[in-house]
Amino acid sequence: MHKQQLIDHTPALMRIVDKYQDGEDLCHFTFAPFNEGESLNKDEMPDLCNINKVQPGQFMMLTIPNAGEAAFTYASMPDENGHFHCLIRKIGELTDALFELEPGAMVGGRGPMGQGWPNLKDKKVLVIAGGCGLAPVAAKVDALIEASAEPVVYFSARNEAMLVMKKERERWQEQCKLYEAVDDCSGASKSYLAGRQLADNLDQIIQDDGPFDHVITCGPEGMMLAVCRIMEGKGFPADHIWLSLERRMHCGVGLCGHCYMADHLVCVDGPTYRWDQLGELVVKEKAIRAPESPLDMGHAASNCGEEKEGCDGNGGCGCR
């Protein structure tokens, strides 16, 4: 039973600091407190921009004037000035309106919300992401690097053009071990691992860089299910596998019930889950689809969290 309390739904004012294209119909946005020029101290910083209040893996609700509100994951932790990033796919009326805005425009935000990734700073972690599922794990990769935990990252997409977050990946190549894979290598500017050979790729990574203490994964649900089954098949304990779910989160605070999954509210109890806690539940609920053959490690074609244009809300495009 979830105890509801009086909750202030008033968004905090933010402004867009920067934006740049980061793939087809994808844009990388930087947000900041609207009044950051007033030299806010940490106690005055809105919670969703406060480095001491946000955890990697959490999400926030973004309000666009005259367009509505939707959930998006943090692609970076807020810095000391409250600046943070989101990777957002253009799909639906709200993101259409957002993409029309230029740096300096005012928007609103609530958060942080949900449960973040566990603290694994002293552990050897393998991070496995597919498509835009890289965004929800990006802040955790940075946190592990900062903690000198030396994470290993495996990132796969349908083709080279869909390998998002280029700036972050270029930085990670200098800071940790990064594997990149694509399903379609035709026309690629360099060699990649074969994206459809997930099991073989993981075998090689474990042989070269393992053993690992924990696995974190985010992406299309078929991919995450395949990762969980492959790792369990290798004897990896289910309680050391973590994944992030994406559901239609209309309120973000457990009031509307749109993200109910059995007796769980994904916006409050998730979006990050441990596989042993989630596995039986999601299979029973048929919330995770079995991977099709051949396995597609790329991003689902229409799975943004916005429901206005027919999205099923179960993808990994960075919105929640």
Side-chain angles (χ1 to χ4, degrees):
M1 179 68 70
H2 295 272
K3 297 181 179 179
Q4 303 296 353
Q5 302 175 344
L6 291 176
I7 300 172
D8 184 0
H9 290 273
T10 306
L13 290 178
M14 301 190 300
R15 64 185 178 89
I16 298 172
V17 176
D18 189 23
K19 72 172 189 179
Y20 61 86
Q21 190 170 354
D22 195 357
E24 185 178 359
D25 290 330
L26 283 160
C27 203
H28 199 117
F29 286 88
T30 303
F31 300 103
F34 184 70
N35 52 348
E36 66 166 337
E38 301 174 8
S39 299
L40 298 176
N41 61 44
K42 292 180 180 177
D43 293 333
E44 297 172 324
M45 190 81 73
D47 285 355
L48 83 162
C49 303
N50 191 327
I51 189 174
N52 294 326
K53 300 291 182 66
V54 179
Q55 299 176 2
Q58 290 187 295
F59 67 96
M60 64 98 181
M61 302 297 295
L62 178 65
T63 300
I64 307 301
N66 301 316
E69 184 184 57
F72 296 94
T73 190
Y74 287 89
S76 76
M77 292 286 288
D79 63 17
E80 293 293 336
N81 296 315
H83 293 208
F84 65 91
H85 310 298
C86 291
L87 180 68
I88 297 176
R89 178 179 295 278
K90 185 178 182 181
I91 179 169
E93 295 178 7
L94 185 142
T95 50
D96 285 348
L98 173 62
F99 275 52
E100 291 296 321
L101 299 179
E102 297 297 330
M106 184 176 67
V107 296
R110 296 187 290 121
M113 296 171 173
Q115 307 299 315
W117 299 109
N119 183 357
L120 303 173
K121 64 179 182 179
D122 298 323
K123 306 298 182 183
K124 185 73 176 292
V125 181
L126 173 60
V127 180
I128 303 171
C132 292
L134 186 62
V137 302
K140 188 60 183 178
V141 172
D142 286 333
L144 290 168
I145 291 172
E146 186 176 350
S148 301
E150 299 181 358
V152 175
V153 180
Y154 175 83
F155 176 45
S156 177
R158 286 183 176 175
N159 53 51
E160 187 177 47
M162 298 185 74
L163 290 170
V164 298
M165 304 188 76
K166 180 180 179 181
K167 292 184 178 180
E168 286 79 0
R169 288 185 288 110
E170 289 178 345
R171 175 165 50 81
W172 292 343
Q173 286 175 338
E174 304 296 326
Q175 300 173 319
C176 67
K177 192 72 170 288
L178 172 64
Y179 293 89
E180 296 171 323
V182 296
D183 295 345
D184 181 4
C185 294
S186 59
S189 62
K190 64 178 186 180
S191 61
Y192 295 95
L193 295 175
R196 296 183 186 278
Q197 305 300 321
L198 176 61
D200 292 340
N201 293 338
L202 294 183
D203 276 341
Q204 191 62 50
I205 292 171
I206 292 171
Q207 178 178 325
D208 293 345
D209 302 292
F212 296 97
D213 299 313
H214 289 263
V215 170
I216 286 176
T217 183
C218 187
E221 292 188 346
M223 182 214 78
M224 292 194 290
L225 179 59
V227 168
C228 293
R229 289 178 172 171
I230 290 170
M231 298 306 295
E232 278 193 301
K234 298 179 181 300
F236 202 84
D239 60 354
H240 286 206
I241 303 173
W242 303 82
L243 60 161
S244 181
L245 293 185
E246 185 168 14
R247 290 295 183 273
R248 292 175 178 172
M249 300 175 185
H250 283 199
C251 70
V253 292
L255 292 176
C256 71
H258 279 82
C259 63
Y260 250 123
M261 188 171 61
D263 60 346
H264 276 223
L265 287 161
V266 176
C267 70
V268 176
D269 301 311
T272 61
Y273 284 93
R274 216 172 62 196
W275 176 235
D276 65 314
Q277 298 169 329
L278 183 64
E280 293 296 327
L281 178 64
V282 294
V283 171
K284 180 179 180 181
E285 293 284 316
K286 297 182 179 179
I288 288 183
R289 300 180 298 276
E292 298 178 356
S293 182
L295 182 64
D296 186 351
M297 282 285 291
H299 180 249
S302 59
N303 52 3
C304 171
E306 291 185 60
E307 66 174 2
K308 294 180 179 179
E309 295 192 358
C311 168
D312 66 4
N314 296 329
C317 68
C319 61
R320 296 203 175 280

